[in-house]
Amino acid sequence: MTRSTRQRERETAAEQEEDSEEGVRECPECNSDNLVKSSDRAELVCNDCGLVVEEEQIDPGPEWRAFNHQERQEKSRVGAPTTQTMHDKGLTTTIDWKDKDAYGRSISSKKRSQMHRLRKWQERIRTKDAGERNLQFALSEIDRMASALGVPRSVREVASVIYRRALKEDLIRGRSIEGVATSALYAACRKEGIPRSLEEISEVSRVERKEIGRTYRYISQELGLEMKPVDPKKYVPRFCSELELSEEVQSKANEIIETTAEEGLLSGKSPTGYAAAAIYAASLLCNEKKTQREVADVAQVTEVTIRNRYQEQIEAMGIHG
């Protein structure tokens, strides 16, 4: 009986120790869990009553001090973080092309030819087999297309992860590497809330729009990506910016989309066409008229689509054009 009680006490003590390690703590004075670390990270202070709960904490930061970005870069002794956008995750060595030594002096012609050979072999041994070479090609394609579309780094990372998952699940067999890479990028854009239409994606890709759509549907279904329908409002700022329209038109277009979507008009409609029609309607209402042709060119839809969506939207809004 005593033994089991001791065992329970030991287990309770171990749990409390784990809780304290995880940082689940309370202020002993006011029982608040609103504890913050001081600016020099040496003290743990209660934000409500000001009690110093812990002092002389271990600082996990570097031992040096830096006051700007340049100093931080000069003093840092670690390399770049790992990235999914490179086939080797950025962990291999890269030999620079500058042909200069550590002091910035030019090297001799003998050394130069030696470095050239080393570089060549370094590039060759970075990929050990055809699978790695294909992965390297696919990730470089994603990087190229992402640069052309002007999407942020996070989208490239997500696209690379999706492509790696497709490769692991053997979804690439029987499909082109470019097709799967483009579909991964399209899916990543939607996941990150920076949508690009299939037309925009196909413009920078070497694959036809139909194949991109087909491959995207297959990959998203097999990997269970759970994509939500694209919100037309996500396209409004970019389209308005390209058309040089004011903030007033932008907010009016968003209002039109919200009001008409509540009435169920958005169901089954292309989000780019829907956004384009709302921008066209808003530009008329705000006396910043743009032609249907101008809006259609920016949104990459037809004038007929804009006319049809425009008619539906103004009827739903109760505006008679």
Side-chain angles (χ1 to χ4, degrees):
M1 188 79 176
T2 314
R3 191 177 168 189
S4 62
T5 308
R6 280 179 188 163
Q7 197 174 347
R8 277 200 300 273
E9 282 173 3
R10 278 201 298 272
E11 283 172 6
T12 309
E15 280 173 14
Q16 285 172 352
E17 198 176 321
E18 277 176 22
D19 283 351
S20 66
E21 280 174 10
E22 287 170 11
V24 183
R25 297 170 189 163
E26 284 185 351
C27 171
E29 192 70 33
C30 64
N31 298 326
S32 168
D33 58 356
N34 188 11
L35 306 179
V36 291
K37 284 186 178 178
S38 59
S39 56
D40 58 359
R41 301 175 69 85
E43 294 178 341
L44 189 69
V45 184
C46 175
N47 212 22
D48 293 341
C49 69
L51 180 78
V52 177
V53 179
E54 264 186 33
E55 54 188 345
E56 296 181 10
Q57 284 193 315
I58 295 169
D59 184 4
E63 84 287 358
W64 42 262
R65 293 193 304 168
F67 301 99
N68 56 44
H69 179 69
Q70 190 179 345
E71 278 187 27
R72 209 170 289 116
Q73 291 291 96
E74 285 171 1
K75 290 183 179 182
S76 178
R77 296 187 296 274
V78 295
T82 56
T83 172
Q84 297 289 338
T85 59
M86 296 172 78
H87 77 284
D88 51 18
K89 297 185 181 176
L91 295 171
T92 56
T93 310
T94 306
I95 301 172
D96 202 6
W97 289 90
K98 287 179 182 172
D99 286 332
K100 289 182 179 179
D101 64 10
Y103 299 102
R105 296 190 295 251
S106 294
I107 56 176
S108 64
S109 57
K110 187 182 174 183
K111 282 275 185 191
R112 207 174 291 137
S113 60
Q114 187 186 353
M115 293 306 291
H116 179 71
R117 283 197 303 276
L118 279 170
R119 266 191 224 107
K120 192 158 63 177
W121 279 106
Q122 173 66 13
E123 282 300 311
R124 285 175 184 172
I125 63 170
R126 276 184 76 184
T127 50
K128 64 178 183 221
D129 54 28
E132 277 202 4
R133 278 196 296 278
N134 289 343
L135 178 60
Q136 187 180 30
F137 171 68
L139 296 178
S140 66
E141 274 293 287
I142 288 171
D143 203 51
R144 179 188 66 78
M145 292 185 290
S147 295
L149 288 167
V151 293
R153 186 88 195 160
S154 61
V155 174
R156 300 175 199 203
E157 289 281 349
V158 172
S160 302
V161 170
I162 291 170
Y163 184 86
R164 284 173 186 272
R165 281 184 62 196
L167 186 64
K168 192 179 175 184
E169 298 287 328
D170 201 25
L171 304 180
I172 295 163
R173 194 183 296 277
R175 288 172 177 78
S176 71
I177 292 168
E178 293 102 319
V180 179
T182 310
S183 305
L185 181 61
Y186 177 64
C189 286
R190 288 186 64 168
K191 272 269 184 199
E192 290 294 288
I194 307 167
R196 294 289 184 269
S197 64
L198 277 171
E199 286 79 11
E200 288 173 291
I201 298 277
S202 62
E203 268 184 15
V204 298
S205 173
R206 298 188 178 105
V207 187
E208 287 183 6
R209 181 187 181 280
K210 196 178 282 185
E211 191 190 332
I212 298 166
R214 195 188 304 124
T215 311
Y216 161 72
R217 283 191 294 274
Y218 173 71
I219 283 174
S220 60
Q221 188 180 349
E222 291 296 315
L223 296 178
L225 295 178
E226 294 179 7
M227 294 292 181
K228 292 177 182 175
V230 178
D231 186 355
K233 286 194 286 183
K234 300 265 185 185
Y235 290 105
V236 171
R238 187 156 55 90
F239 291 170
C240 283
S241 176
E242 286 182 41
L243 288 163
E244 295 178 353
L245 291 166
S246 65
E247 286 282 330
E248 188 189 352
V249 174
Q250 196 172 310
S251 59
K252 190 68 183 173
N254 284 330
E255 187 192 321
I256 291 168
I257 291 168
E258 280 174 17
T259 309
T260 54
E262 281 171 13
E263 296 190 20
L265 290 184
L266 181 54
S267 181
K269 306 291 193 305
S270 159
T272 47
Y274 206 83
I279 290 166
Y280 174 68
S283 70
L284 294 179
L285 291 169
C286 298
N287 294 319
E288 292 184 41
K289 192 176 186 305
K290 293 284 176 185
T291 63
Q292 289 177 2
R293 177 76 267 154
E294 286 174 304
V295 180
D297 285 343
V298 166
Q300 293 183 322
V301 294
T302 62
E303 290 173 66
V304 177
T305 302
I306 290 179
R307 275 198 293 275
N308 291 341
R309 296 295 88 78
Y310 167 70
Q311 287 298 329
E312 291 167 6
Q313 286 172 358
I314 60 166
E315 280 173 23
M317 294 282 287
I319 303 164
H320 302 287

